[in-house]
Amino acid sequence: MPDSVKPANERSWSTFGGLVLFLLVIQTPFMALAQFPRTKLFSLFPPGGSAGSSQEVQLKTGTDLEGVGGLRFSHPGITAVQKYLEPAPTWPFPKPVEGHFIVTIASDVPPGVYDVRAFGSHGVSNARAFVVSDLEERIEAAANTDVDKATEISVGSVVNGTAQAGTADYFSFEAREGQRLLIDCHAERIDSRMDATLVLYDADGRELQRQRDTIRRDPLVDFLVPADGTYLVKVYDFLHGGGDEYFYRLSVSTGPYIDFIFPPAVAAGTSGSYAIYGRNLPGSSPAPDITVNGQSLEKLIMEIEVPAFVDQTALPVNSMVSPAESVLDAMSYRLATPQGTSNLVRLGFATAALVVEQEPNNDPSEANVLTLPCEIAGRFNNRRDVDWFTFDATKAAVYYVEVYSHRLGLPTDPYLLIQRVTEDPEKESGVEDVKEVDDLDEVGIDATYDSRTADPIFRFTVPEDGTYRILVRDLNAT
């Protein structure tokens, strides 16, 4: 059959000699990314500065950092400009110093942790942490890995350093008898790879304290100075790692530190008195019955005003929070004093009537009586403290029973037991267990954002009219 009268599809086959070749190219997102450079920032140094200052900051490690022309911060009061070399006979124009910037922090920038990103010809990088303090800042001496070459620092200052593999950094300071010094090392809390360890010595080389993993994986030394003199601090990575990504910020201060605020929840648009527990709280009274890592705390009653509007689309915090903590609608609070500004504490927003736990309630006969719905502000007062609550409910009513503790950033593992009080003569104890609830492991399956929590959550459908009771305890403190 002539081609002129063949069907179109048959002519096509004949034209290509009976062979059709399909070339199919599948380009995955990973292949696309591999073809183009993309700026990633792993570390910069120093990782912070003091409000009202300017300093040189260098991009230390990352990928595709060539062509970076600026830094962008999450606070408008922090700005950066490229550093330039002065003109020289061989180069009559200012020459940019690659990866070096002059960062200026306005005096009204509040202390806290902010985001910084590098941007340039390969786009905008990921965010890293940049810390603003209200203390004097300095850089460690390069040769402070021997005791006799310790970097001298002063009380009320921050020193920025980098751990080197297999070595330790040493710092010395003068202290006065009776001072309560807080020696705090920020590493994990500012995106560092360092698992920092602190060791405190007196002038004769006697070890006074050794701390690790006090605040998350970072160490905090609480030191009551016994006598005037020179003291020495040793800083190193617990696994003896090091490098540009093992940076840290070491502070020695008499400033305030907040361990917790009670109650830990607030009602939007209200004002009330709250008990602040911590160290170096001006105007406080001793709280000898409350200890943390063997250190007694102080108690300060403060009036706190709570905003009326809660933006649930934002995360109003300038400090590190874990993925599990990020689900909490909360306000941020810091205590400002003449000795400096405290660390940040988050206060959750209550969505129902707020009830403060009343001790003693360690026995079912002493259970606090509740009227539902409500939110309870409670506390594990000692290592084996348990709390009982009781309420009446009608059949088929539905309640969510949920504990916020681990999601407050605390090293707790809460446990719930719900019981029904019965009059069944076959029940010798007069109670029937309805549900035991421990960890909530079903969420957070994405390993890059692991929001799993040790807090128990239970949807409770009331099986019968009657009286019920709830036991709350911390499995980490049994």
Side-chain angles (χ1 to χ4, degrees):
M1 182 183 298
D3 282 348
S4 58
V5 296
K6 287 183 179 179
N9 59 338
E10 291 189 28
R11 289 200 301 270
S12 298
W13 279 97
S14 175
T15 302
F16 288 97
L19 174 64
V20 177
L21 175 65
F22 290 92
L23 179 62
L24 179 63
V25 178
I26 301 176
Q27 187 178 50
T28 69
F30 303 103
M31 294 171 63
L33 289 176
Q35 293 178 8
F36 301 100
R38 186 178 68 168
T39 298
K40 294 182 181 180
L41 180 60
F42 300 151
S43 67
L44 73 168
F45 191 84
S50 179
S53 70
S54 292
Q55 63 186 329
E56 181 178 344
V57 172
Q58 179 184 2
L59 307 186
K60 301 295 285 188
T61 60
T63 60
D64 298 315
L65 295 178
E66 64 276 1
V68 169
L71 301 179
R72 189 162 295 158
F73 296 84
S74 58
H75 192 289
I78 313 175
T79 57
V81 295
Q82 179 80 56
K83 181 182 178 180
Y84 285 86
L85 294 177
E86 293 297 326
T90 57
W91 187 266
F93 307 103
K95 184 178 181 180
V97 182
E98 187 172 322
H100 290 250
F101 300 89
I102 304 302
V103 174
T104 300
I105 308 171
S107 58
D108 60 350
V109 177
V113 182
Y114 299 93
D115 287 346
V116 56
R117 298 175 186 267
F119 67 91
S121 56
H122 298 317
V124 181
S125 77
N126 56 297
R128 303 302 298 182
F130 188 83
V131 188
V132 174
S133 79
D134 55 4
L135 302 176
E136 174 191 345
E137 299 246 355
R138 65 168 301 172
I139 306 297
E140 70 167 329
N144 66 337
T145 55
D146 293 322
V147 173
D148 58 353
K149 296 181 180 179
T151 300
E152 294 183 4
I153 57 177
S154 58
V155 174
S157 67
V158 177
V159 60
N160 296 273
T162 302
Q164 299 303 321
T167 66
D169 295 337
Y170 292 90
F171 303 89
S172 64
F173 61 90
E174 299 292 326
R176 300 192 309 272
E177 180 180 354
Q179 287 181 310
R180 186 174 192 175
L181 298 183
L182 300 179
I183 307 171
D184 192 0
C185 187
H186 279 66
E188 183 202 30
R189 287 172 285 171
I190 56 172
D191 292 339
S192 174
R193 295 181 62 186
M194 183 179 182
D195 184 358
T197 303
L198 290 181
V199 187
L200 177 66
Y201 303 92
D202 65 12
D204 296 323
R206 287 188 294 264
E207 183 176 319
L208 303 176
Q209 278 199 52
R210 180 183 295 261
Q211 294 292 344
R212 175 177 170 256
D213 298 351
T214 315
I215 308 170
R216 304 182 192 271
R217 293 176 63 205
D218 290 343
L220 172 71
V221 169
D222 184 349
F223 177 52
L224 183 62
V225 180
D228 293 357
T230 302
Y231 294 86
L232 192 74
V233 178
K234 175 182 177 182
V235 184
Y236 65 96
D237 178 70
F238 181 72
L239 297 178
H240 303 287
D244 288 333
E245 295 171 26
Y246 289 73
F247 51 86
Y248 62 87
R249 287 169 55 85
L250 177 71
S251 64
V252 181
S253 170
T254 58
Y257 182 87
I258 300 176
D259 286 272
F260 65 93
I261 299 177
F262 192 83
V266 295
T270 64
S271 175
S273 294
Y274 294 81
I276 300 176
Y277 291 87
R279 308 99 180 294
N280 289 337
L281 307 178
S284 64
S285 58
D289 56 324
I290 306 294
T291 62
V292 174
N293 294 328
Q295 301 289 343
S296 296
L297 302 186
E298 304 163 10
K299 178 180 179 181
L300 176 65
I301 303 299
M302 286 288 293
E303 191 81 7
I304 298 178
E305 293 187 6
V306 184
F309 174 72
V310 183
D311 184 0
Q312 296 188 3
T313 66
L315 187 63
V317 62
N318 60 350
S319 184
M320 175 185 174
V321 294
S322 68
E325 295 171 68
S326 65
V327 303
L328 178 68
D329 291 326
M331 64 171 282
S332 302
Y333 180 81
R334 293 181 187 265
L335 178 66
T337 75
Q339 290 74 38
T341 305
S342 76
N343 57 306
L344 181 144
V345 178
R346 302 175 71 210
L347 294 171
F349 285 103
T351 56
L354 186 61
V355 178
V356 178
E357 171 206 3
Q358 300 297 316
E359 292 281 0
N361 63 344
N362 291 15
D363 188 84
S365 63
E366 302 171 319
N368 290 181
V369 179
L370 306 176
T371 300
L372 303 186
C374 68
E375 292 194 17
I376 308 158
R379 187 171 69 199
F380 299 118
N381 287 307
N382 51 56
R383 186 167 183 80
R384 292 179 176 82
D385 186 31
V386 299
D387 297 327
W388 284 94
F389 305 92
T390 184
F391 59 92
D392 292 330
T394 57
K395 182 177 181 178
V398 178
Y399 299 98
Y400 277 90
V401 185
E402 183 171 3
V403 176
Y404 275 85
S405 184
H406 176 236
R407 286 172 291 175
L408 294 175
L410 301 174
T412 51
D413 184 7
Y415 160 89
L416 278 177
L417 171 63
I418 302 175
Q419 296 181 330
R420 183 167 74 95
V421 179
T422 72
E423 297 182 358
D424 187 344
E426 296 183 2
K427 303 284 185 181
E428 294 183 3
S429 62
V431 295
E432 178 182 40
D433 289 350
V434 176
K435 182 69 175 181
E436 291 181 271
V437 193
D438 193 6
D439 301 346
L440 180 66
D441 292 326
E442 290 78 12
V443 297
I445 57 174
D446 181 359
T448 62
Y449 196 80
D450 188 351
S451 59
R452 285 176 294 183
T453 175
D455 291 338
I457 303 173
F458 176 57
R459 185 179 185 273
F460 176 44
T461 301
V462 181
E464 300 289 342
D465 292 354
T467 299
Y468 294 81
R469 63 193 192 196
I470 298 175
L471 165 70
V472 184
R473 70 189 310 163
D474 178 17
L475 296 182
N476 281 346
T478 55

